[in-house]
Amino acid sequence: MKKINLLYISSSLDSIHEYRFLRLISGDKDINLTVTTCEPKPIHEKILGLDINIIKSPEAACSANLPFMRRVALEYRHWRYVGFLRKLIETHNIDIIHSGWLTLDSYDALKTGFHPVLAMSWGSDVLNDPYMKNPHTSRWFRGKLKYVAKNADAFYCDASIVADTLVKLTGIGYEKINVFPQPGVDMGIFHCDTGAGEKFRREMKLENDFVAFGCRGFLSVYGVENLLESVPPIIGRISNFKLVWAGEGPLKEKCIELARKLNIEGHVIFTGKLSLEQLALYYNAADVYVSTSFTDGSSAALQEAFCCGLVPIVSDIPANREWVRDGQNGWIVNPFDIESISGAVIKAYLSEDQRLLFREANLKVAKEDIDELKNYDRLKKLYCNIMQ
């Protein structure tokens, strides 16, 4: 069998999520992988640790001061990048392109005129994220998305809500869209280990506490402030409650100050950024997983929680409802309603027998639908199908 020469185009090589993809693809003996980006952002250290060929565009970052001029400079940079991609495709005898962010990477890939192109959505490039420009609020982005929809050979999404929104915005048929986790979870790292979890609870002096764990960034879209606002009514009912939050972001200091104002410092632990192995320990040590995100695609953190048998308490948004059924394998909350959040945590605390049943149900879902090796097999078959 001839090896597949795959070009992977990404504007987010600073992301741990890209590492998950590239680790799997680079370890496939049937694929010759070339990775490229035109973004000047630093590449994630874990990606740099992989034995892969990364070719960055020589184009410099935009430095214009006025918004209009920044857009012109950005468009010029991407126009030059398209020429760079054409040479790269020819030099490396590329068979297929896998491109990320639809309105950037996939748009650039398709402007080269090359086929086939598998266009992959990361969610925020399709969903109506209130904190960034997107095809719902910008004609510029909507025009690019429609161009990609018309010309891409196939699409890869991680949630049905993303596929539904893509169809609604562009009018393309569902037959072009493939929905399964991106790429899933490494169950060698994220798996149920009650022994390690109990040991870690003792080490962290949490063995007598009811622990809720979350690991989203300190960004407005993740609703961390609302979650903190829910802690006082929770500790009014659960005196030994602890919220452990992992991550970094621009709102971190504001959230730390909010915890002080709410007088809940003794009930909240901010861990900072954690390694994958550390995350797995926290998942296994916690009693419930919490996320009050206002919008999301299929959350990798939620999938990791499933793999570790952790019961979720998550926002009432479409992507979460694809995984969590309220009162059947977790709890759904209104992320804008403090009483809804606190009430669900208290209900979970009082429902130990239910949590055990939910745990078993979620472990079964993880094995069938979240295992990254199974999802990578799906992706590889998709490559072969669109190359025919």
Side-chain angles (χ1 to χ4, degrees):
M1 176 181 175
K2 175 184 175 291
K3 280 193 173 186
I4 299 171
N5 292 324
L6 171 68
L7 178 61
Y8 190 95
I9 305 175
S10 170
S11 56
S12 56
L13 292 183
D14 58 335
S15 166
I16 188 64
H17 300 302
E18 294 282 14
Y19 164 73
R20 299 167 193 260
F21 266 112
L22 295 175
R23 178 176 58 82
L24 289 167
I25 300 171
S26 64
D28 190 329
K29 67 182 187 316
D30 296 327
I31 293 179
N32 288 322
L33 174 64
T34 302
V35 180
T36 186
T37 182
C38 71
E39 287 295 323
K41 296 180 290 189
I43 296 172
H44 196 284
E45 59 184 9
K46 280 190 168 289
I47 294 177
L48 289 174
L50 295 172
D51 184 19
I52 58 177
N53 184 25
I54 302 175
I55 306 174
K56 296 190 74 171
S57 167
E59 295 300 322
C62 304
S63 58
N65 293 320
L66 297 174
F68 173 74
M69 291 307 297
R70 280 200 297 271
R71 176 177 289 186
V72 170
L74 181 65
E75 285 292 285
Y76 177 73
R77 174 153 66 92
H78 281 270
W79 177 75
R80 293 288 300 271
Y81 185 50
V82 170
F84 171 80
L85 287 175
R86 287 193 180 112
K87 293 179 181 176
L88 200 60
I89 290 166
E90 183 179 356
T91 302
H92 290 77
N93 195 26
I94 296 301
D95 296 309
I96 182 172
I97 291 177
H98 179 159
S99 52
W101 199 268
L102 298 183
T103 50
L104 288 175
D105 309 311
S106 295
Y107 183 82
D108 291 342
L110 289 162
K111 278 294 183 179
T112 66
F114 176 86
H115 290 278
V117 173
L118 174 61
M120 179 172 70
S121 170
W122 283 109
S124 296
D125 48 2
V126 173
L127 300 176
N128 190 7
D129 185 334
Y131 301 97
M132 62 183 294
K133 286 187 177 181
N134 57 65
H136 298 263
T137 58
S138 166
R139 290 183 180 178
W140 187 51
F141 281 113
R142 190 158 59 251
K144 289 193 167 192
L145 185 64
K146 287 183 176 180
Y147 177 86
V148 172
K150 180 181 178 181
N151 292 283
D153 297 274
F155 285 86
Y156 177 19
C157 306
D158 67 351
S160 294
I161 183 59
V162 177
D164 293 343
T165 308
L166 182 59
V167 170
K168 184 178 179 180
L169 286 172
T170 67
I172 65 167
Y174 281 99
E175 67 276 3
K176 289 184 71 172
I177 305 175
N178 303 269
V179 181
F180 53 93
Q182 296 175 329
V185 174
D186 181 354
M187 295 186 72
I189 296 175
F190 296 99
H191 57 269
C192 184
D193 190 337
T194 53
E198 289 172 1
K199 180 182 178 183
F200 191 59
R201 282 176 74 102
R202 290 193 296 272
E203 291 174 0
M204 297 294 294
K205 295 182 170 51
L206 296 170
E207 65 266 34
N208 297 317
D209 296 317
F210 184 74
V211 180
F213 177 62
C215 54
R216 312 307 295 270
F218 287 93
L219 300 170
S220 297
V221 70
Y222 292 133
V224 185
E225 291 163 276
N226 287 7
L227 180 58
L228 292 172
E229 294 275 6
S230 76
V231 173
I234 292 172
I235 60 180
R237 294 287 301 277
I238 311 171
S239 60
N240 61 335
F241 175 74
K242 287 287 195 310
L243 171 64
V244 180
W245 196 263
E248 296 288 346
L251 296 181
K252 183 176 181 179
E253 290 305 318
K254 184 178 180 181
C255 288
I256 292 173
E257 180 58 30
L258 177 59
R260 291 194 194 101
K261 288 182 179 179
L262 294 171
N263 196 30
I264 57 173
E265 293 171 281
H267 294 270
V268 180
I269 300 171
F270 297 111
T271 70
K273 185 178 179 180
L274 299 175
S275 68
L276 298 180
E277 290 75 15
Q278 289 171 321
L279 276 173
L281 281 174
Y282 275 100
Y283 283 124
N284 275 290
D287 295 288
V288 292
Y289 167 78
V290 289
S291 172
T292 49
S293 176
F294 303 145
T295 183
D296 220 339
S298 189
S299 166
L302 175 58
Q303 292 172 22
E304 290 164 356
F306 267 54
C307 292
C308 294
L310 193 52
V311 176
I313 298 172
V314 293
S315 307
D316 187 9
I317 55 177
N320 284 342
R321 289 197 298 270
E322 292 179 32
W323 294 100
V324 181
R325 298 173 302 284
D326 187 49
Q328 297 183 47
N329 68 328
W331 286 275
I332 296 286
V333 302
N334 180 346
F336 300 98
D337 186 337
I338 305 307
E339 186 176 337
S340 175
I341 300 168
S342 60
V345 173
I346 293 167
K347 185 183 292 185
Y349 171 74
L350 296 172
S351 308
E352 185 174 357
D353 290 343
Q354 265 190 310
R355 294 204 316 271
L356 291 173
L357 293 174
F358 294 173
R359 177 188 184 91
E360 294 305 314
N362 292 340
L363 286 171
K364 183 178 179 182
V365 170
K367 185 177 180 180
E368 293 176 353
D369 298 322
I370 300 177
D371 185 343
E372 67 174 12
L373 296 179
K374 291 184 178 179
N375 287 317
Y376 181 68
D377 284 343
R378 296 176 185 174
L379 177 61
K380 190 171 177 181
K381 288 176 183 176
L382 181 54
Y383 288 158
C384 294
N385 287 340
I386 67 174
M387 286 172 59
Q388 290 178 354

